[in-house]
Amino acid sequence: MSILKTRLRTLKEKYWPLIKSLQTGLLILTGLAGFMSARCPMDSWQMMLALIASLFFSISGSTILNMWYDRDIDARMKRTCTRPLPSGKVSPRNALVLGLIISGIGVGIALLMNLWFGVVIFAGLFFDVVVYTIWLKRRTHWSIIWGGISGGMPILAGRVLGLGHFDWIGIALALAILFWIPTHILTFNIRRSEDYASAGIPTFPARFGKKATRKIIAFSSIIAALAMGVAAYGIGMTIGYLRIMIVLSSGLLLLAVSGMIHSNERINFGLFKYASLYMLSSMLLVMAEGI
């Protein structure tokens, strides 16, 4: 038994970091929020389990495939050089096979649940791995837009599963994620600009400078907050939850504008942290409204 526990612990230490569990967890939460925003009751615990499983496997699989493809640039960055692939803990072949299998399982479960749900899940995986990572990430700083599209797919997929069709609220929720991602990623680009430069990855700070990038972050934050507010109104969010959403959005806008006016690392890092808190809190509010 002790040998089995040791082997399981070793496998966890080697392979678990490949899925970026915090990022994966947040994206799964957006998918659940999208589903619950449709205000449809859960048919059974099996349906909830299948929804979570499809999101977990498809998102984790795409993340593993991204790490497999980016292992060379990860090795050149201080922040990522200790990841399982560049450090040699996991072989490229094993990571590729695992990523393909897990992705296939996630998309397969989604297609069995609902055709359009499966199509959106597959689209998110395709945009993330093929369009963003393989095609554009090393070529243009605009790749972040396509990465944002893939990030908006889980919440759209959840909404589509709940309704059985597309609607403007699902699009608004996806747009909120799309425009939130630059706030999250570009603040990180500024903070880790030397890392990205050493890996040869084109970024907005390198192309336009930090001052212009902070203006882009402020604009993106405004659009994200407006899209989230419009979606919340469309869902029929109660006034109490709407007030909390307004307070959260005001905090995001305040930090974004402050970062644009007062360029310093403290505000930039604060915005980076708050952006994640904002999205997490917004998703919890949407889920609470759907209960």
Side-chain angles (χ1 to χ4, degrees):
M1 183 63 69
S2 60
I3 296 176
L4 178 60
K5 288 183 178 179
T6 301
R7 289 182 176 178
L8 289 175
R9 184 169 59 251
T10 301
L11 288 173
K12 179 182 177 180
E13 291 173 354
K14 288 173 61 177
Y15 288 96
W16 186 253
L18 287 173
I19 71 168
K20 296 182 182 178
S21 56
L22 291 178
Q23 172 185 290
T24 297
L26 182 57
L27 288 174
I28 291 173
L29 192 66
T30 67
L32 290 172
F35 179 77
M36 295 179 70
S37 73
R39 297 178 182 273
C40 52
M42 302 297 180
D43 293 338
S44 64
W45 65 267
Q46 290 95 332
M47 183 178 184
M48 174 62 80
L49 183 61
L51 170 62
I52 294 174
S54 64
L55 291 170
F56 174 78
F57 284 120
S58 58
I59 294 168
S60 298
S62 66
T63 303
I64 293 172
L65 292 174
N66 286 340
M67 283 203 177
W68 167 77
Y69 190 80
D70 282 343
R71 62 190 184 279
D72 59 329
I73 59 177
D74 281 347
R76 299 199 295 269
M77 300 173 66
K78 292 180 180 179
R79 179 177 61 88
T80 58
C81 64
T82 58
R83 286 177 174 174
L85 280 161
S87 65
K89 295 177 182 177
V90 176
S91 71
R93 181 181 180 279
N94 286 348
L96 176 60
V97 171
L98 180 63
L100 290 172
I101 292 175
I102 289 180
S103 298
I105 292 173
V107 174
I109 293 173
L111 287 170
L112 289 174
M113 294 180 71
N114 178 275
L115 176 61
W116 287 117
F117 175 62
V119 168
V120 177
I121 289 294
F122 176 78
L125 191 150
F126 181 81
F127 273 110
D128 189 33
V129 178
V130 179
V131 178
Y132 170 64
T133 299
I134 296 177
W135 182 23
L136 296 175
K137 184 175 181 179
R138 306 181 190 217
R139 290 178 171 85
T140 173
H141 50 278
W142 291 104
S143 63
I144 188 175
I145 303 299
W146 301 96
I149 291 175
S150 68
M153 289 298 103
I155 197 167
L156 177 60
R159 178 79 181 177
V160 168
L161 179 63
L163 293 176
H165 58 82
F166 294 89
D167 73 338
W168 69 267
I169 296 175
I171 300 299
L173 288 169
L175 286 174
I177 303 291
L178 168 61
F179 283 97
W180 165 80
I181 283 178
T183 301
H184 180 73
I185 297 298
L186 293 183
T187 51
F188 198 70
N189 287 166
I190 292 173
R191 182 175 175 82
R192 298 286 188 174
S193 57
E194 293 182 1
D195 251 2
Y196 286 100
S198 65
I201 301 174
T203 63
F204 274 85
R207 176 67 177 82
F208 299 109
K210 294 182 179 180
K211 185 176 181 180
T213 300
R214 289 190 172 96
K215 292 181 180 179
I216 295 171
I217 291 171
F219 174 77
S220 182
S221 299
I222 292 171
I223 301 300
L226 287 175
M228 187 63 73
V230 168
Y233 175 79
I235 292 168
M237 187 172 285
T238 55
I239 189 65
Y241 288 149
L242 273 176
R243 287 173 178 170
I244 299 174
M245 184 76 75
I246 291 171
V247 171
L248 290 170
S249 298
S250 298
L252 181 70
L253 298 178
L254 178 62
L255 280 172
V257 173
S258 297
M260 182 178 64
I261 298 173
H262 308 289
S263 301
N264 64 67
E265 182 61 28
R266 182 177 61 84
I267 294 178
N268 180 74
F269 187 63
L271 178 58
F272 171 75
K273 290 292 188 181
Y274 184 82
S276 296
L277 177 63
Y278 168 78
M279 187 51 60
L280 173 62
S281 301
S282 297
M283 293 302 102
L284 291 176
L285 286 173
V286 172
M287 292 174 68
E289 184 64 40
I291 296 176

